PDB file of all heavy atoms in Angstrom:
ATOM      1  N   ASP W   3      18.766-153.019  99.377  1.00  0.00           N
ATOM      2  CA  ASP W   3      19.408-153.586  98.193  1.00  0.00           C
ATOM      3  C   ASP W   3      19.226-155.106  98.248  1.00  0.00           C
ATOM      4  O   ASP W   3      20.093-155.823  98.756  1.00  0.00           O
ATOM      5  CB  ASP W   3      20.890-153.200  98.178  1.00  0.00           C
ATOM      6  CG  ASP W   3      21.588-153.597  96.893  1.00  0.00           C
ATOM      7  OD1 ASP W   3      20.894-153.898  95.897  1.00  0.00           O
ATOM      8  OD2 ASP W   3      22.830-153.608  96.899  1.00  0.00           O
ATOM      9  N   TRP W   4      18.070-155.604  97.788  1.00  0.00           N
ATOM     10  CA  TRP W   4      17.738-157.020  97.864  1.00  0.00           C
ATOM     11  C   TRP W   4      18.695-157.857  97.036  1.00  0.00           C
ATOM     12  O   TRP W   4      19.261-157.394  96.037  1.00  0.00           O
ATOM     13  CB  TRP W   4      16.312-157.260  97.372  1.00  0.00           C
ATOM     14  CG  TRP W   4      15.280-156.569  98.211  1.00  0.00           C
ATOM     15  CD1 TRP W   4      14.591-155.435  97.895  1.00  0.00           C
ATOM     16  CD2 TRP W   4      14.847-156.958  99.520  1.00  0.00           C
ATOM     17  NE1 TRP W   4      13.758-155.093  98.915  1.00  0.00           N
ATOM     18  CE2 TRP W   4      13.884-156.005  99.933  1.00  0.00           C
ATOM     19  CE3 TRP W   4      15.175-157.997 100.379  1.00  0.00           C
ATOM     20  CZ2 TRP W   4      13.249-156.079 101.155  1.00  0.00           C
ATOM     21  CZ3 TRP W   4      14.539-158.071 101.602  1.00  0.00           C
ATOM     22  CH2 TRP W   4      13.591-157.125 101.980  1.00  0.00           C
ATOM     23  N   LEU W   5      18.877-159.102  97.440  1.00  0.00           N
ATOM     24  CA  LEU W   5      19.669-160.042  96.654  1.00  0.00           C
ATOM     25  C   LEU W   5      18.896-160.430  95.407  1.00  0.00           C
ATOM     26  O   LEU W   5      17.671-160.600  95.455  1.00  0.00           O
ATOM     27  CB  LEU W   5      19.966-161.302  97.473  1.00  0.00           C
ATOM     28  CG  LEU W   5      20.737-161.117  98.780  1.00  0.00           C
ATOM     29  CD1 LEU W   5      20.904-162.460  99.490  1.00  0.00           C
ATOM     30  CD2 LEU W   5      22.090-160.481  98.529  1.00  0.00           C
ATOM     31  N   ASP W   6      19.616-160.588  94.298  1.00  0.00           N
ATOM     32  CA  ASP W   6      18.928-161.099  93.110  1.00  0.00           C
ATOM     33  C   ASP W   6      18.720-162.604  93.295  1.00  0.00           C
ATOM     34  O   ASP W   6      19.197-163.203  94.267  1.00  0.00           O
ATOM     35  CB  ASP W   6      19.684-160.745  91.825  1.00  0.00           C
ATOM     36  CG  ASP W   6      21.047-161.420  91.683  1.00  0.00           C
ATOM     37  OD1 ASP W   6      21.236-162.550  92.178  1.00  0.00           O
ATOM     38  OD2 ASP W   6      21.938-160.803  91.057  1.00  0.00           O
ATOM     39  N   SER W   7      18.021-163.239  92.405  1.00  0.00           N
ATOM     40  CA  SER W   7      17.648-164.655  92.588  1.00  0.00           C
ATOM     41  C   SER W   7      18.875-165.571  92.658  1.00  0.00           C
ATOM     42  O   SER W   7      18.900-166.515  93.462  1.00  0.00           O
ATOM     43  CB  SER W   7      16.685-165.123  91.494  1.00  0.00           C
ATOM     44  OG  SER W   7      17.291-165.000  90.222  1.00  0.00           O
ATOM     45  N   GLU W   8      19.898-165.291  91.873  1.00  0.00           N
ATOM     46  CA  GLU W   8      21.118-166.108  91.910  1.00  0.00           C
ATOM     47  C   GLU W   8      21.866-165.912  93.238  1.00  0.00           C
ATOM     48  O   GLU W   8      22.335-166.872  93.844  1.00  0.00           O
ATOM     49  CB  GLU W   8      22.025-165.751  90.728  1.00  0.00           C
ATOM     50  CG  GLU W   8      23.283-166.566  90.634  1.00  0.00           C
ATOM     51  CD  GLU W   8      23.051-168.009  90.190  1.00  0.00           C
ATOM     52  OE1 GLU W   8      21.932-168.349  89.760  1.00  0.00           O
ATOM     53  OE2 GLU W   8      24.009-168.807  90.288  1.00  0.00           O
ATOM     54  N   GLN W   9      21.989-164.682  93.687  1.00  0.00           N
ATOM     55  CA  GLN W   9      22.627-164.401  94.977  1.00  0.00           C
ATOM     56  C   GLN W   9      21.850-165.061  96.117  1.00  0.00           C
ATOM     57  O   GLN W   9      22.446-165.664  97.019  1.00  0.00           O
ATOM     58  CB  GLN W   9      22.717-162.894  95.214  1.00  0.00           C
ATOM     59  CG  GLN W   9      23.695-162.191  94.312  1.00  0.00           C
ATOM     60  CD  GLN W   9      23.551-160.680  94.382  1.00  0.00           C
ATOM     61  OE1 GLN W   9      22.465-160.135  94.615  1.00  0.00           O
ATOM     62  NE2 GLN W   9      24.670-159.989  94.170  1.00  0.00           N
ATOM     63  N   GLN W  10      20.533-164.973  96.064  1.00  0.00           N
ATOM     64  CA  GLN W  10      19.693-165.580  97.097  1.00  0.00           C
ATOM     65  C   GLN W  10      19.857-167.098  97.107  1.00  0.00           C
ATOM     66  O   GLN W  10      19.976-167.722  98.163  1.00  0.00           O
ATOM     67  CB  GLN W  10      18.225-165.200  96.859  1.00  0.00           C
ATOM     68  CG  GLN W  10      17.261-165.733  97.881  1.00  0.00           C
ATOM     69  CD  GLN W  10      17.376-165.051  99.234  1.00  0.00           C
ATOM     70  OE1 GLN W  10      18.111-164.079  99.412  1.00  0.00           O
ATOM     71  NE2 GLN W  10      16.668-165.558 100.202  1.00  0.00           N
ATOM     72  N   ARG W  11      19.866-167.697  95.938  1.00  0.00           N
ATOM     73  CA  ARG W  11      20.035-169.154  95.827  1.00  0.00           C
ATOM     74  C   ARG W  11      21.381-169.587  96.399  1.00  0.00           C
ATOM     75  O   ARG W  11      21.474-170.548  97.165  1.00  0.00           O
ATOM     76  CB  ARG W  11      19.911-169.572  94.354  1.00  0.00           C
ATOM     77  CG  ARG W  11      19.884-171.072  94.136  1.00  0.00           C
ATOM     78  CD  ARG W  11      19.514-171.400  92.685  1.00  0.00           C
ATOM     79  NE  ARG W  11      20.526-170.970  91.743  1.00  0.00           N
ATOM     80  CZ  ARG W  11      21.616-171.660  91.428  1.00  0.00           C
ATOM     81  NH1 ARG W  11      21.846-172.819  91.990  1.00  0.00           N
ATOM     82  NH2 ARG W  11      22.486-171.193  90.570  1.00  0.00           N
ATOM     83  N   ASN W  12      22.455-168.856  96.082  1.00  0.00           N
ATOM     84  CA  ASN W  12      23.788-169.184  96.593  1.00  0.00           C
ATOM     85  C   ASN W  12      23.894-168.938  98.097  1.00  0.00           C
ATOM     86  O   ASN W  12      24.514-169.725  98.819  1.00  0.00           O
ATOM     87  CB  ASN W  12      24.866-168.407  95.839  1.00  0.00           C
ATOM     88  CG  ASN W  12      25.038-168.926  94.425  1.00  0.00           C
ATOM     89  OD1 ASN W  12      24.873-170.117  94.162  1.00  0.00           O
ATOM     90  ND2 ASN W  12      25.352-168.037  93.507  1.00  0.00           N
ATOM     91  N   TRP W  13      23.306-167.865  98.573  1.00  0.00           N
ATOM     92  CA  TRP W  13      23.319-167.578 100.006  1.00  0.00           C
ATOM     93  C   TRP W  13      22.618-168.689 100.782  1.00  0.00           C
ATOM     94  O   TRP W  13      23.126-169.194 101.773  1.00  0.00           O
ATOM     95  CB  TRP W  13      22.662-166.226 100.279  1.00  0.00           C
ATOM     96  CG  TRP W  13      22.423-165.970 101.731  1.00  0.00           C
ATOM     97  CD1 TRP W  13      21.222-165.820 102.342  1.00  0.00           C
ATOM     98  CD2 TRP W  13      23.403-165.857 102.759  1.00  0.00           C
ATOM     99  NE1 TRP W  13      21.394-165.622 103.690  1.00  0.00           N
ATOM    100  CE2 TRP W  13      22.731-165.637 103.965  1.00  0.00           C
ATOM    101  CE3 TRP W  13      24.793-165.917 102.776  1.00  0.00           C
ATOM    102  CZ2 TRP W  13      23.383-165.485 105.183  1.00  0.00           C
ATOM    103  CZ3 TRP W  13      25.452-165.770 103.987  1.00  0.00           C
ATOM    104  CH2 TRP W  13      24.746-165.549 105.172  1.00  0.00           C
ATOM    105  N   ARG W  14      21.449-169.087 100.310  1.00  0.00           N
ATOM    106  CA  ARG W  14      20.703-170.146 101.000  1.00  0.00           C
ATOM    107  C   ARG W  14      21.435-171.484 100.925  1.00  0.00           C
ATOM    108  O   ARG W  14      21.409-172.258 101.878  1.00  0.00           O
ATOM    109  CB  ARG W  14      19.296-170.255 100.440  1.00  0.00           C
ATOM    110  CG  ARG W  14      18.443-169.091 100.876  1.00  0.00           C
ATOM    111  CD  ARG W  14      17.018-169.258 100.494  1.00  0.00           C
ATOM    112  NE  ARG W  14      16.252-168.130 101.009  1.00  0.00           N
ATOM    113  CZ  ARG W  14      15.001-167.910 100.712  1.00  0.00           C
ATOM    114  NH1 ARG W  14      14.345-168.744  99.905  1.00  0.00           N
ATOM    115  NH2 ARG W  14      14.366-166.879 101.210  1.00  0.00           N
ATOM    116  N   ALA W  15      22.090-171.755  99.814  1.00  0.00           N
ATOM    117  CA  ALA W  15      22.876-172.990  99.699  1.00  0.00           C
ATOM    118  C   ALA W  15      24.018-172.978 100.707  1.00  0.00           C
ATOM    119  O   ALA W  15      24.306-173.998 101.359  1.00  0.00           O
ATOM    120  CB  ALA W  15      23.409-173.151  98.275  1.00  0.00           C
TER     121      ALA W  15
END
Side-chain angles (χ1 to χ4, degrees):
D3 187 16
W4 298 104
L5 300 178
D6 66 31
S7 61
E8 182 72 10
Q9 290 168 329
Q10 182 71 6
R11 188 170 66 84
N12 288 327
W13 170 244
R14 287 187 177 172

